[in-house]
Amino acid sequence: MNDHQSLPAFAPRGSFGESLGGTFMEPPSDGFRPANICIRRTSLAGTALLVALAIHPASVRAQSASSPTAVTNVAERVPVMEEIIVRSTRTERFLDELTRSALVFSESDLEKFNQQSTSVQEILGKAVPGFAPPVTEGSAASMTLRGRDPLFLIDGVPIASNTNFSRFLDKFDPLTIGSVEVVYGPTSLYGAGATGGVVQFFTREPSEELEFSVGTQFRAYATGSESRDEDGFSPKVNASVSGRLGERWSVYAFASYEDINGVFSAEDELVTGRSAFAEDTTLFGKLRFDISESQSITAIINSTTLESSDRQFELGGTLNSDGATVATEADIVFSYADPPTNEFLYAALDYKHEDLFGGSLNVLAYYSDSEFLNPGSDIRPQISAGIFPAEWPGLWQTGRINEEEGLRLSFVRDFGERLNVAVGADYNTVDSESLLPISTEEGFDETRFFDAVRQAEQTAPFTLDALGLFMEASYDLTERLTLTGGLRWDRFDYEVVGPYEVVFFFPPFSLPGERPGGEGDANGDSYNVGIAYEVSDAATVYSNFSQGFAIPSLGFIGNNVDPGVEISDSSLVDPVITDSFEIGVRGNFRSLSYAAAVYYTESEFETTVSIASDTGLNNRTRAPVEIWGTELTAAWNVSERFGIDGSLTYVEGDVDPNDDGNTLALSTQDVPPLKLSLNPRYQFTDKWSVFGQLFYVAERDDGFEDGTDPRPSEDYFLLDLGTTYQLDLGSAGSGLLNLQVLNALNEDYIPAGEITFIPGRVRPGPGRSITLSYQHTF
């Protein structure tokens, strides 16, 4: 929920400038024409209407990266819209010129949603059309975009490349993010991992003047008597400094601490996850040096650590009437030879030259190091019941170490007023190792000690070197007609480090035994072409064909190779080539803004998931896959103070497991159910607003009927409410007070993505919670 625009709108011809958090940026002087603009945006808190989508240039004063966002009259924002620049295209193109679907979330969008959630996954799941709905765990493998894996970036730094471990996504504080961009579908601008699109987070920029900000947030569950104790209360504090230090230096530094307690279901049952009952600490810094008016170099570093508290719960938990897992506190505290940990570090050095040979150069060098190790698991009851193979270990922990470094280079130049060309190269190297400490059963029931006497791997360890070269061009054939095209060449060199043993094998898909590993390479071309035509001042239509080229997840594929077979001798490691077709329209008519897109994607040798109905365990296979869907968004400015917007997402797909024409519905881990969001908003004054979100997820039983899901997904409806008030304290600064009530009707439900999890690890959705936050800037 929030109080800003989530949908497309047009600006009159000749009005331009970018509004990100209220700060206007003049567009590049060469090659980018002011035009009738279509801006498509989705409100990150899922709220209403056109607030913060755009503001008339004469009525806006610049705000810093950490300032609270002013509440402004809805009607003032509708008639005139700024042009929004999309940086994830690596050419800084205006959004109306793109020949594909894209979303831009400004800082003001993010600030509202951050008042109610500290989970990036929840933000994306509720706000982004085509993105899977959020799950309770916050680390689901079902985080897909249009049914495929997107590439996640922070300031150009990839997050957990080639691992399919989405839990790294929640290991940075969303309060450090200044904007988010979503570019749908494969593209020549990014290679490996971007078959579903690109989701890029841009961290906040230093403000022009030195300022300080402090904030606090309190979340409490209100589902019953149990939630009112300390387990249902989670406080968070943060502080930041931003501004210039002299003529050339500027800084943005941020620190936060959150004491995370439990999640309560609507039935007042305590739910635990990997991040529950832990202390989350984030330290972030950005230091920029302006070498000249056209050159700058920026250093960025982020460190996030999640430390488990002393509170511990039974490994299996208790199943409620819905078959979901709720928490049972352990009588004896567990101890570990290898204690659970969760750390995420990334650092980057970004050089920009905006006037080099008539164009602009960007060079980014980065390093990231991610490591987590989960608390212990005890599956001996399932082994005894014959659900899991008797050869499996009964006591173990899972985790992963992922280390990556890389270099991104791009050069963009205009040739005349119509042609814009971008060329560049990407290189990265990844070392990834899964962790599987296995403990002995003797004495565990008495001592509750995980001795980790055996070190194994859950998936195959690997190294991957990737090199990509690209060229992208955009040509304005007329003022209303834009053509784009791009080419990319990728090469992957990999080694699956052996010998390794597959501990968790899935008969008949995989068998026990040692694999020797192996090495190999793959290379290929991909391309995209598109067209955008401004039919009238009220509508722009676009269409594109795009192709993706990626290598499958080496860790998971390595587990499916037969014992004794080198992975390089298996076709399972062949690249994934994805073809995507899309057509869309966006525009506005008077006070109504709208956008619609339909798409179809196919791949002949996709990595997909099938889930056993008896165990809930998933197996990754290679087979032909088709995915199709539609996204609709609309916003209506009903009156000067009242507005409503909404979005509808429908995704479906099937897999041909035997490549014989007999298809099955894709698992809900790949394809989420239909998703609908309606977001009304009313402004009482310029400083006080109330807003809400009606969030509906439909049932989906296609995968269950075809045997690719262990159970059907039932529909659920969530109502969120909130209010925001801005305080102007004169010389003492300004503040933003926010009150949110999530799941106000206390709906009892199981999130769609949770139904694909292992039995005993399916968690009910969060019940009613109240979040009160205040951010003060001075």
Side-chain angles (χ1 to χ4, degrees), residues 1 45-46 126 677-680 691-695 718-721:
M1 320 174 275
K126 282 194 170 183
S677 175
L678 293 176
N679 313 295
F691 41 89
Q693 180 183 53
L694 291 78
F695 185 71
L718 305 178
L719 172 64
D720 300 338
L721 301 171

Side-chain angles (χ1 to χ4, degrees), residues 255-588:
S256 68
Y257 169 82
E258 183 177 11
D259 184 10
I260 306 173
N261 282 299
V263 174
F264 280 82
S265 71
E267 298 297 319
D268 204 31
E269 299 162 325
L270 181 61
V271 181
T272 61
R274 296 186 180 99
S275 299
F277 296 98
E279 298 178 354
D280 194 351
T281 304
T282 293
L283 299 175
F284 176 85
K286 175 182 285 190
L287 182 65
R288 187 180 71 220
F289 177 68
D290 296 325
I291 302 171
S292 65
E293 290 186 359
S294 60
Q295 296 183 76
S296 66
I297 187 167
T298 304
I300 304 171
I301 188 168
N302 178 94
S303 175
T304 301
T305 303
L306 192 72
E307 295 185 359
S308 299
S309 69
D310 293 335
R311 296 289 302 281
Q312 295 186 8
F313 297 84
E314 291 292 348
L315 300 177
T318 303
L319 299 183
N320 65 10
S321 58
D322 295 327
T325 304
V326 296
T328 302
E329 191 148 14
D331 296 328
I332 304 176
V333 175
F334 306 122
S335 57
Y336 294 90
D338 292 341
T341 185
N342 204 329
E343 299 177 350
F344 178 49
L345 169 72
Y346 77 90
L349 199 62
D350 189 14
Y351 170 77
K352 289 183 173 67
H353 195 316
E354 298 178 355
D355 188 15
L356 181 66
F357 304 118
S360 60
L361 173 70
N362 184 207
V363 180
L364 174 71
Y366 64 86
Y367 169 82
S368 67
D369 184 15
S370 306
E371 179 177 350
F372 72 87
L373 182 63
N374 290 322
S377 293
D378 182 358
I379 61 169
R380 289 175 296 171
Q382 289 89 341
I383 294 175
S384 299
I387 297 176
F388 298 150
E391 295 87 348
W392 281 22
L395 297 167
W396 39 266
Q397 301 165 257
T398 59
R400 179 169 290 274
I401 298 175
N402 205 79
E403 188 174 10
E404 180 169 353
E405 55 191 42
L407 184 69
R408 294 190 183 275
L409 183 148
S410 61
F411 179 76
V412 183
R413 191 181 189 279
D414 296 320
F415 295 90
E417 296 183 355
R418 295 180 180 273
L419 179 63
N420 176 265
V421 177
V423 296
D426 301 315
Y427 172 78
N428 69 307
T429 178
V430 180
D431 288 290
S432 185
E433 178 185 2
S434 68
L435 305 175
L436 188 66
I438 298 174
S439 298
T440 55
E441 300 181 15
E442 293 79 5
F444 171 79
D445 293 328
E446 296 181 2
T447 64
R448 296 296 173 126
F449 177 62
F450 283 88
D451 53 23
V453 297
R454 177 186 170 196
Q455 297 293 330
E457 293 89 20
Q458 182 181 7
T459 59
F462 67 88
T463 62
L464 174 64
D465 294 329
L467 173 66
L469 306 176
F470 70 87
M471 180 179 70
E472 179 101 349
S474 177
Y475 184 71
D476 295 332
L477 199 62
T478 69
E479 278 195 350
R480 293 181 178 271
L481 181 63
T482 299
L483 305 178
T484 61
L487 296 172
R488 185 179 180 91
W489 176 82
D490 285 289
R491 177 181 175 88
F492 304 97
D493 292 279
Y494 64 87
E495 179 184 5
V496 175
V497 182
Y500 63 93
E501 182 180 354
V502 176
V503 175
F504 298 128
F505 54 91
F506 304 91
F509 302 108
S510 61
L511 300 173
E514 190 174 86
R515 278 75 166 166
E519 59 185 30
D521 59 73
N523 63 81
D525 305 312
S526 57
Y527 67 95
N528 59 270
V529 293
I531 183 171
Y533 179 64
E534 185 185 329
V535 179
S536 68
D537 291 346
T540 294
V541 296
Y542 61 91
S543 178
N544 71 78
F545 168 80
S546 56
Q547 198 171 70
F549 180 86
I551 198 167
S553 176
L554 293 169
F556 286 106
I557 293 300
N559 281 22
N560 286 346
V561 175
D562 289 334
V565 176
E566 288 196 9
I567 191 170
S568 52
D569 293 334
S570 171
S571 62
L572 292 175
V573 79
D574 288 351
V576 180
I577 300 175
T578 304
D579 293 331
S580 175
F581 306 87
E582 179 187 25
I583 59 174
V585 60
R586 52 200 177 202
N588 73 335

Side-chain angles (χ1 to χ4, degrees), residues 715-734:
D715 63 337
Y716 51 92
F717 170 82
L718 305 178
L719 172 64
D720 300 338
L721 301 171
T723 182
T724 297
Y725 188 82
Q726 183 179 345
L727 292 83
D728 186 356
L729 303 178
S731 59
S734 61

